[in-house]
Amino acid sequence: MDTLNINICPICGNNHFLHELNCVDHYATGEKFELLKCSECGFVFTQDAPDESKIGRYYETPDYISHSDTTKGLMNRVYHWVREYMLRRKSSLVVNESKKANGLILDIGTGTGYFSNKMKSIGWDVKAIEKNPQARDFAKQHFNLDVDDENSLGYYESGSFDVITLWHVMEHLQNLNVTWETLGRLLKDDGVLVVAVPNPTSYDANYYKEWWAAYDVPRHLWHFSPDVMKKLGEKHGFTLKKSYSMPFDAFYVSMLTEKYKKNPLSFLKGLWVGFCALISTFGCKEKSSSMIYIFIKS
């Protein structure tokens, strides 16, 4: 089949879904996709997204930011400034949550290798996975990182990793339950799993609704609320230890959304909505545009 048609909820097994939203692929094709919501557990997903064999063309633009090192344009310059801050925050989070100054870490969906390189620079042994061959080449040329392709996951030794990270990757992975089973196999019994994903129950998601850039259909297949993410982990033998907000994501996502809406003042309007989103998280971190979830084995 050329599309991924979901007829059973991957989390709870329910087969009754409700219409949630119709979203447009503003980034690449202009095509429209439907979001459905499980009537039982509330999991939201993109229905009839292109199958793995067909999804490639939806990533094929020269400025796909997660695989790009360009600083052309204000949006990209903001992105790269924030990235430097977040690299420091992410590496500190890994050290603090694992309670290890060094160890063996697996970064799945490493992109161009910035986070993997950061962890290597502070003394960690790093394994990295990336599907995109151009991104793997970039990581090799710029950071001397030997990044494996996605097929390598099946060859890693069971129980070998102190930490596994997926930074804005889980929402892209078609085989959701298989992925979680693999994570459970590869992680040490006292290891830490770090998953960062957009939050469809955030302030900015509720503000922008179907325009919200972080729905990013059809590249994002799954849309994880905090409650749904907790349930998914529990299904596969993980306990949610802690969660963190990602305060800068709302600014970038809001600016990008305003750009999609063709607002001539997209930077300023996005800045304002991002600021309002940030303020909303002071009373409830679960309103953050993106969340970081720390899981341990149950």
Side-chain angles (χ1 to χ4, degrees):
M1 292 181 63
D2 291 339
T3 60
L4 184 64
N5 184 269
I6 309 298
N7 50 36
I8 297 292
C9 176
I11 295 180
C12 71
N14 178 45
N15 62 1
H16 182 236
F17 308 130
L18 306 172
H19 171 79
E20 182 74 357
L21 292 170
N22 287 321
C23 296
V24 172
D25 174 15
H26 297 286
Y27 172 73
T29 67
E31 295 175 25
K32 185 178 290 187
F33 294 88
E34 183 182 20
L35 303 190
L36 296 181
K37 183 175 185 177
C38 175
S39 63
E40 184 67 26
C41 71
F43 187 26
V44 176
F45 57 88
T46 305
Q47 184 67 298
D48 292 327
D51 187 76
E52 189 74 20
S53 62
K54 301 293 183 180
I55 193 68
R57 74 181 184 91
Y58 293 87
Y59 290 88
E60 290 172 358
T61 63
D63 62 344
Y64 186 63
I65 199 159
S66 66
H67 291 154
S68 171
D69 200 46
T70 181
T71 55
K72 181 180 179 181
L74 183 59
M75 291 292 295
N76 285 336
R77 289 198 297 272
V78 170
Y79 173 83
H80 290 287
W81 180 84
V82 170
R83 182 176 62 188
E84 291 305 311
Y85 167 81
M86 289 304 297
L87 285 173
R88 295 191 296 271
R89 185 184 176 206
K90 289 175 180 178
S91 58
S92 295
L93 182 148
V94 166
V95 170
N96 293 336
E97 291 297 336
S98 67
K99 297 179 172 55
K100 296 178 184 293
N102 51 66
L104 180 59
I105 185 171
L106 171 63
D107 186 38
I108 299 176
T110 197
T112 47
Y114 279 87
F115 173 72
S116 292
N117 182 63
K118 177 67 175 179
M119 295 307 299
K120 185 176 75 169
S121 74
I122 64 172
W124 282 67
D125 295 322
V126 176
K127 287 286 187 181
I129 293 281
E130 173 54 44
K131 181 179 180 179
N132 184 281
Q134 288 77 32
R136 294 199 302 270
D137 289 344
F138 183 100
K140 178 64 176 178
Q141 294 170 13
H142 287 76
F143 303 125
N144 197 30
L145 289 171
D146 292 317
V147 179
D148 296 328
D149 65 28
E150 69 275 20
N151 297 318
S152 300
L153 272 177
Y155 299 98
Y156 293 149
E157 184 178 348
S158 297
S160 57
F161 293 100
D162 297 290
V163 178
I164 300 177
T165 54
L166 298 94
W167 301 106
H168 285 287
V169 172
M170 188 69 70
E171 61 270 29
H172 295 263
L173 301 179
Q174 181 170 316
N175 298 311
L176 191 59
N177 286 310
V178 172
T179 295
W180 277 82
E181 291 169 7
T182 302
L183 297 175
R185 179 181 68 81
L186 295 177
L187 194 65
K188 290 182 178 179
D189 287 342
D190 63 346
V192 173
L193 172 64
V194 182
V195 180
V197 289
N199 175 18
T201 60
S202 64
Y203 174 94
D204 45 309
N206 288 325
Y207 180 86
Y208 285 117
K209 302 187 188 313
E210 70 273 11
W211 282 94
W212 190 51
Y215 281 127
D216 200 24
V217 294
R219 290 159 294 277
H220 290 185
L221 303 173
W222 319 110
H223 312 283
F224 303 100
S225 69
D227 184 57
V228 161
M229 181 56 74
K230 181 174 182 290
K231 291 176 182 176
L232 180 57
E234 289 173 347
K235 176 179 178 178
H236 293 280
F238 287 91
T239 297
L240 180 61
K241 178 186 175 185
K242 195 179 297 184
S243 62
Y244 296 92
S245 64
M246 300 186 77
F248 284 112
D249 277 32
F251 290 94
Y252 175 73
V253 170
S254 298
M255 292 174 192
L256 185 57
T257 304
E258 293 294 340
K259 179 182 177 182
Y260 288 158
K261 297 180 76 172
K262 303 188 185 306
N263 186 338
L265 300 175
S266 59
F267 179 82
L268 293 177
K269 180 61 182 296
L271 195 65
W272 171 249
V273 176
F275 176 76
C276 293
L278 176 62
I279 295 300
S280 76
T281 65
F282 293 167
C284 179
K285 68 181 177 183
E286 285 75 17
K287 289 186 177 180
S288 177
S289 186
S290 295
M291 298 288 295
I292 301 172
Y293 299 96
I294 310 298
F295 289 98
I296 57 175
K297 286 187 173 182
S298 301

